[in-house]
Amino acid sequence: MKSTALVPRPKFGSSVSTSLFVLALFVTLGIDTARAQNEPILVPDVVDYQKLLPMLPDPPQGWVADKAEGSTEDVGGFRITNVHRDYHKGDGEKVPTAAISILDSVANPDYVNATTAAWNNNSETSEGYGKSVTIDGNPGFEAFEKESKHSTLWVMIANRYFVQIEFQNQDPKELQEWVKRVDLKKLATIK
């Protein structure tokens, strides 16, 4: 099943997924910049990645987590912050895996609005589903692909932070349990 969210579904569990997610944001930023070249750019500043790293939780019992990674970068006159952590249960190819990413998208409110608006499109087929969800009052989107056993949950926090939980070889019902591991209320206060 192809994801119906505007947030790209990159290759799971790699730094490539973070890079592709950031690339999609930059393309959107570039479009906005080209459209408004003669207008002054009043872009709020993103937080430093060091403030977001503590938001990535420790692994649950029986799981192992890789070291959390993050960056704050200047690209095309905009700054972007992204943090990421991979988790796995056991060793081997088919073990359950999870990944948590947080992206500060405050630099592009148009991207936030377009993405969250697309989350209103629900679909279900024999291959999987994509559906709108609400987590603690925050808009989100959940997608599941049956054949690949791949599921993703995106949640928008404070009209700024995209929190992404991504699973491989796990029941998608666990996505909402994993998002509870991230202190969403605390995340909303970080500026």
Side-chain angles (χ1 to χ4, degrees), residues 119-130:
W119 290 350
N120 293 322
N121 298 322
N122 295 316
S123 67
E124 185 168 351
T125 69
S126 60
E127 297 173 352
Y129 65 82

Side-chain angles (χ1 to χ4, degrees), residues 13-27:
S14 70
S15 60
V16 173
S17 68
T18 300
S19 299
L20 290 175
F21 186 76
V22 171
L23 177 63
L25 181 63
F26 292 140
V27 168

Side-chain angles (χ1 to χ4, degrees), residues 26-103:
F26 292 140
V27 168
T28 305
L29 289 171
I31 291 169
D32 287 343
T33 302
R35 185 177 39 154
Q37 286 184 3
N38 295 327
E39 296 175 17
I41 299 174
L42 302 173
V43 178
D45 201 17
V46 297
V47 299
D48 184 83
Y49 79 94
Q50 296 288 345
K51 289 184 176 182
L52 295 181
L53 282 174
M55 300 306 303
L56 298 171
D58 290 332
Q61 187 172 359
W63 287 73
V64 176
D66 294 347
K67 183 178 177 190
E69 301 174 341
S71 65
T72 300
E73 299 178 24
D74 290 315
V75 177
F78 293 95
R79 289 174 52 87
I80 184 134
T81 292
N82 189 41
V83 295
H84 178 86
R85 192 169 195 186
D86 290 321
Y87 304 81
H88 62 93
K89 186 175 184 178
D91 293 316
E93 258 184 60
K94 298 289 184 178
V95 300
T97 60
I100 299 176
S101 299
I102 303 171
L103 173 75

